[in-house]
Structures are given as C-alpha cells and as structure tokens.
Amino acid sequence: MFDTDILLQDTQEILSAVPVTIGMALMIFVLSTIVGSIFALMEYRRVPALRELVMTYKIVFKGVPMVIVIFLAYFGLPPAFQFLFSLLGINFNAHETPNWVILVVAITGCVAAFQSEIIKGALNAFDTGQSDAAHSLGYTGGQLFQRILFPQVALTAIPDLTTSMMVIMKALSLGFAIEVVDIFAQSQLTAALNYYYLEAFVIAVVIYMVIAYIVTQIADRLEQALRVRT
C-alpha cells in the first residue's frame, strides 16, 4: 500500500515548492506584523476614530473565512488596482497581477487582524511604571522604545507570533484555489501524475514538520537572546 520506491522522486518534486512557500510565508509574516503593530498602537493609544475603524476591521477579517477573502481579492483587487492606476495616470494593466501577489495581500489582510491582537496583548502586559522610571532617568522616546519597550513586548509576543507563522504556512495551501502552487498544491499535482497520493501527502507532512521545528528553534533562540537583554 505504501511504495517507498516512489518517495525519492516525489520528494524532489515537492521540495521544489518549498522556497516559494517559505518566501510567501515570510513576506506575509513581515507585512502582517507591521500592519498589525500599527493597528495595535492605534488601539493602545486610543486614537479617536481610527481605533473604531481598527476594531471594525478586526471583526470583519476575523469573522470571514479566509478562503472567501482570497476569492474576493482574486476577483476584486485587479479591477480596484486598475481604477487606482487610472486615477493616478499610470499606464499599467492590473488585470495581469500575479496570483501569488493577490494571495499574499489577502492572507496578509486576514493575519494582520490576529497579529494586532497579539501585539496589543503584549503592549498591555508592559508595565507602564518602567516608562515613568525611564523618563525620570532622562531616556528619550527612542531610547525607551529600543532599550525597554521593544525587547519586553517582543519577548511577550514571540510564542504567539511563532504560532502565527505556522498558521500562515497552512493558510497558503488555500492558494491552490486560485492556482498558486505551494507545498500542499505541489503534493496534489505530483500525486495526480502517478496516483501515489499517500506517499505525496506523507512527504508534505514531513516537510511541514521540519519547517515547524526550524521555526520553533529560531523563536526559542530569539527568545533566549531577548531574555538576556531584559
């Protein structure tokens, strides 16, 4: 039932999708963390009007299934981009936007809502008394952020951000619906050629496990480094 002879051939084909998958995952992680951090600061600082907009955004993107967001982006982003470019007088055919770009934008939009909650929770866990003490010692706002606030907030957020990275990896498998090939999609395509579905999916599972292990090890080392600083 399980053919070991086919493993090497399938592994080579499925591994070809790993760089693309990791590249998209890192891009989504960075973008969603930046956007989520901005949203978290708006809520933490209680910026009028913007805070309500952020809360509405999070309700929408946390409530709507990600696959629906991907399809909305697939059919809606190119016309929206085309309209925007026409207003700016830019001659560009937005309908030729690569599907992977649409996928990155869609998942970033969804994940940013969750990243915002993670960052906001880390900010709320920060002892504001340390800020007062730092200001009394003559720290500037930049020094306070770099030496005290950022290391502690990052340390608190690392475990949840690590989980977010793996959620992004799994969410990329939804990209097959708009013809974006990641590890999972490549497994399906490989299996469809030789009908060794079990072998292909076992290989995919092993690859995902290895990536999860590497991400966890990196997060642990980063957490240890930040603990030394704090």
Side-chain angles (χ1 to χ4, degrees):
M1 184 177 67
F2 189 83
D3 192 340
T4 55
D5 294 334
I6 202 68
L7 287 178
L8 181 59
Q9 176 184 344
D10 283 4
T11 299
Q12 292 175 339
E13 294 183 10
I14 297 172
L15 281 175
S16 65
V18 171
V20 175
T21 305
I22 293 178
M24 288 191 295
L26 289 174
M27 191 180 303
I28 293 169
F29 179 80
V30 171
L31 292 175
S32 62
T33 301
I34 293 173
V35 174
S37 298
I38 295 172
F39 289 167
L41 285 171
M42 288 178 182
E43 286 196 275
Y44 183 72
R45 297 293 185 182
R46 298 184 179 276
V47 180
L50 293 179
R51 181 171 179 265
E52 284 69 27
L53 288 175
V54 170
M55 292 176 65
T56 303
Y57 176 92
K58 292 197 297 185
I59 290 173
V60 171
F61 279 90
K62 288 196 295 185
V64 178
M66 198 175 293
V67 67
I68 295 179
V69 176
I70 291 173
F71 276 116
L72 287 174
Y74 180 69
F75 291 108
L77 279 182
F81 286 156
Q82 191 66 48
F83 177 73
L84 179 61
F85 289 143
S86 64
L87 289 179
L88 297 174
I90 300 175
N91 186 20
F92 179 77
N93 185 6
H95 295 285
E96 296 181 355
T97 303
N99 289 354
W100 70 266
V101 174
I102 295 174
L103 180 66
V104 167
V105 172
I107 297 181
T108 296
C110 293
V111 176
F114 295 95
Q115 301 290 64
S116 175
E117 294 288 2
I118 294 171
I119 303 300
K120 187 180 75 171
L123 287 170
N124 289 333
F126 178 71
D127 184 5
T128 55
Q130 296 184 60
S131 298
D132 298 333
H135 286 306
S136 68
L137 293 173
Y139 277 57
T140 64
Q143 290 173 329
L144 170 63
F145 175 81
Q146 181 180 357
R147 300 180 184 180
I148 300 175
L149 179 61
F150 177 77
Q152 293 191 35
V153 170
L155 183 61
T156 304
I158 280 176
D160 290 328
L161 291 176
T162 303
T163 301
S164 293
M165 182 63 180
M166 298 316 304
V167 169
I168 292 169
M169 290 290 301
K170 290 185 284 187
L172 284 171
S173 64
L174 298 173
F176 196 38
I178 59 171
E179 300 178 353
V180 177
V181 178
D182 72 324
I183 295 171
F184 171 71
Q186 186 61 54
S187 302
Q188 288 185 301
L189 294 173
T190 300
L193 294 175
N194 55 27
Y195 299 102
Y196 287 95
Y197 285 93
L198 178 60
E199 289 79 358
F201 290 132
V202 167
I203 294 168
V205 167
V206 172
I207 292 174
Y208 279 121
M209 289 175 62
V210 170
I211 294 174
Y213 175 78
I214 294 173
V215 170
T216 302
Q217 290 298 309
I218 293 173
D220 287 344
R221 292 179 182 275
L222 182 58
E223 186 174 358
Q224 291 173 7
L226 287 174
R227 286 191 185 279
V228 172
R229 289 189 59 181
T230 56

